[in-house]
Amino acid sequence: MARRRVWRENKGNLMCLAVPGRIISMKKGSAEVDFSGIKRAVSLDLVPAAKKGDYVLVHAGFAIQLLDPGEAVKTLELFKGIFSEGPGDAPQAPAAGKP
Amino acid sequence: MKTAARGRFSSPLWRDRALAASALSEIARLAPSAAAKTGGRVNFMEVCGTHTMAIAASGMRGLLPKELRMLSGPGCPVCVTSQGDIDRVLALAAIPGIIITTFGDMLKVKGSKGLDLHSARERGADVRVVYSPLDAVALAAAEPEREVVFIGVGFETTAPVIGGAVVRAKKLGLKNFSSTAFFKLVPPALELLLSDPENKIHGFMLPGHVSAIIGTGPYRFVAEKYRVPCVVTGFEPLDILAGINMLLKQVISGKPRVEDEYFRAVRQDGNPAALKLMREVFSVSAASWRAIGAVKNTGLVFSGAYASFDAVKRFKIKYAEAPEPKGCLCGKILLGKALPSDCRLFGKACTPSNAVGPCMVSSEGACAAWVKYGG
């Protein structure tokens, strides 16, 4: 438990850390984002398409990307595929190398 | 709504013990076949400092098979900042009347004369830690008679955020806000590693949040030109285990490509709005890397339209090459050529409370991760 606590305390300092949250209200390029109970003002300047109810990845006061809940569920299923069905029949993540 | 947010992106499912156990046994099963392909040992590099910390904090390093070694790469922003640039930060802090704003990680990085921002503060400098560069812009608006300087260092994750703050300052007409632009770019850093004839990296765990901005396209050369497997990976323990698993499979198949494990956040074309802003505010330029020196086209500086926000120009701060701390292996560690335990200073002369090199100072540094959680 102590280890996990140290990790949490450190998170505030990590420079490339980004945290997922959900937009609960918006006004003029700024949003109030809920991080599992903690609410903070976040700039939406870098994700102009974001709207209320969307999940966003937040880094240093800016939302830097929209998060896709459907893809999150797919990722969890991918884990189950890779790790619990054994060799050979694991589904693949989408290849990203081709345009 | 709160439960939904937790359930999708931060739920215990992302760190499920049973799945992690089977992930580890699958990795143990694959590792010998991968090692047979690479000549005895498989070296994967996690490029991002946040991955270094996540790997260390989860304790998985000690559970990985002996054939597999995870190396920390040049992805800790503070660690890759050259000694000369650290000296420039300290020169800014020494100017009377200036307010220095920074992320906390920079506070204890020592300049070549052994001083850091923390000790500058003890000598009377006004140094303030902020969560966001927007806090620094707000401070400049609130104190128009003071010069406010933000210490901008980092990679493609942080550059658009600081660019966004600079755009905000311009819109507000603030004349007393400026920032450093000591930014580095990840794809050219990978090319630096790969073009080294001594390079022994068999796969890259690519940084999730840099990739959220730049997308997956800029890494294609790694797989196509250098034939090295790549997986863009998220930061939960299962993400990392899945990333390792996918890298091992690529090594075994002998077909390197760029895979995206973190597709809930990373799209092929990244974040076009952030890229556009980054291109507007900054332009690609040479950057000075710790232990490597200045390398063309590996960093960002302010573009012409935003040159007036460049703190280095505004206060005419010169650059001088400065030596690394004596005996410090940080530079080699960043290149994957040494482990923290190879350094004679590690854990003896160099500890978190009295750090010699930036890899121990930064909370994302490899040495800090090793000393805190064990190697």
Side-chain angles (χ1 to χ4, degrees):
Chain A
M1 288 314 276
R3 279 192 169 187
R4 182 164 288 182
R5 197 168 61 237
V6 172
W7 168 230
R8 288 225 173 101
E9 281 166 7
N10 262 312
K11 276 189 169 182
N13 271 330
L14 296 184
M15 217 174 270
C16 275
L17 186 89
V19 183
R22 190 173 204 184
I23 298 173
I24 48 177
S25 66
M26 296 174 67
K27 58 173 181 187
K28 272 207 283 180
S30 175
E32 194 179 17
V33 173
D34 173 26
F35 301 96
S36 299
I38 298 164
K39 296 181 183 71
R40 281 203 78 129
V42 166
S43 164
L44 297 180
D45 290 354
L46 303 178
V47 283
K51 51 189 192 304
K52 191 178 160 184
D54 282 347
Y55 294 95
V56 283
L57 200 52
V58 177
H59 169 62
F62 285 79
I64 58 165
Q65 189 53 284
L66 287 167
L67 286 166
D68 187 326
E71 302 283 50
V73 172
K74 254 192 237 169
T75 309
L76 289 168
E77 278 162 14
L78 177 84
F79 291 160
K80 284 183 199 152
I82 297 178
F83 302 141
S84 42
E85 286 169 22
D89 48 0
Q92 297 290 309
K98 300 205 174 64
Chain B
M1 276 205 190
K2 272 194 304 195
T3 318
R6 262 201 295 272
R8 294 213 169 95
F9 296 107
S10 352
S11 95
L13 282 175
W14 295 97
R15 37 188 72 201
D16 183 88
R17 272 169 181 269
L19 269 183
S22 40
L24 282 161
S25 59
E26 180 66 2
I27 287 168
R29 189 184 71 79
L30 293 172
S33 325
K37 293 264 183 179
T38 59
R41 193 196 272 279
V42 187
N43 297 316
F44 291 155
M45 177 176 274
E46 86 271 359
V47 179
C48 174
T50 313
H51 274 144
T52 300
M53 278 318 275
I55 288 169
S58 70
M60 73 175 72
R61 196 183 293 277
L63 301 172
L64 294 173
K66 61 179 190 315
E67 297 90 346
L68 175 61
R69 190 161 65 168
M70 294 302 293
L71 302 169
S72 301
C76 154
V78 171
C79 308
V80 295
T81 304
S82 71
Q83 203 64 43
D85 280 340
I86 304 286
D87 285 347
R88 291 209 281 190
V89 169
L90 292 165
L92 282 164
I95 299 172
I98 283 187
I99 302 175
I100 297 284
T101 53
T102 175
F103 293 133
D105 248 21
M106 284 298 285
L107 272 189
K108 289 200 167 179
V109 188
K110 288 191 170 68
S112 54
K113 293 190 181 113
L115 297 176
D116 54 30
L117 282 178
H118 191 75
S119 58
R121 183 149 68 182
E122 285 164 2
R123 289 161 179 243
D126 192 345
V127 179
R128 306 186 194 183
V129 173
V130 291
Y131 160 71
S132 166
L134 287 177
D135 299 340
V137 173
L139 184 64
E143 301 210 29
E145 73 289 355
R146 303 275 306 268
E147 284 283 345
V148 176
V149 175
F150 185 79
I151 303 302
V153 300
F155 292 93
E156 292 95 331
T157 321
T158 310
V161 161
I162 294 170
V166 170
V167 169
R168 174 83 58 96
K170 193 174 189 182
K171 274 187 192 150
L172 293 172
L174 296 178
K175 302 281 182 222
N176 61 329
F177 176 80
S178 59
S179 171
T180 62
F182 301 150
F183 299 117
K184 311 276 192 291
L185 300 171
V186 168
L190 300 180
E191 182 123 45
L192 268 179
L193 295 170
L194 290 164
S195 56
D196 181 343
E198 289 174 35
N199 163 52
K200 290 197 186 88
I201 299 160
H202 305 115
F204 284 110
M205 178 172 287
L206 294 172
H209 294 143
V210 164
S211 308
I213 301 290
I214 69 172
T216 55
Y219 303 115
R220 257 186 287 161
F221 76 96
V222 179
E224 289 168 9
K225 181 174 166 196
Y226 293 97
R227 313 284 304 152
V228 173
C230 291
V231 179
V232 174
T233 308
F235 297 91
E236 295 290 348
L238 286 179
D239 283 322
I240 291 167
L241 292 171
I244 293 173
N245 186 290
M246 289 156 81
L247 283 171
L248 285 170
K249 283 184 182 157
Q250 282 197 45
V251 170
I252 294 166
S253 74
K255 289 179 191 151
R257 57 194 183 119
V258 182
E259 284 183 289
D260 182 4
E261 184 279 335
Y262 198 34
F263 54 90
R264 62 191 184 275
V266 175
R267 329 270 184 268
Q268 193 170 299
D269 57 349
N271 177 340
L275 287 170
K276 182 166 171 262
L277 185 137
M278 205 156 70
R279 276 195 287 268
E280 184 190 328
V281 180
F282 305 111
S283 45
V284 175
S285 165
S288 315
W289 297 73
R290 176 169 298 268
I292 301 172
V295 188
K296 275 184 197 168
N297 300 327
T298 58
L300 297 173
V301 293
F302 280 102
S303 66
Y306 288 85
S308 62
F309 289 94
D310 187 341
V312 164
K313 281 198 185 129
R314 183 176 296 189
F315 299 101
K316 301 184 176 63
I317 306 293
K318 292 207 176 72
Y319 184 81
E321 286 293 339
E324 317 287 319
K326 218 175 168 184
C328 173
L329 279 192
C330 202
K332 281 195 164 175
I333 293 167
L334 294 172
L335 300 174
K337 291 182 175 175
L339 295 172
S341 53
D342 296 331
C343 181
R344 280 192 304 170
L345 306 181
F346 176 74
K348 298 185 185 91
C350 184
T351 60
S353 56
N354 191 17
V356 176
C359 295
M360 184 65 88
V361 176
S362 171
S363 53
E364 292 181 311
C367 298
W370 277 55
V371 88
K372 193 171 281 168
Y373 300 109

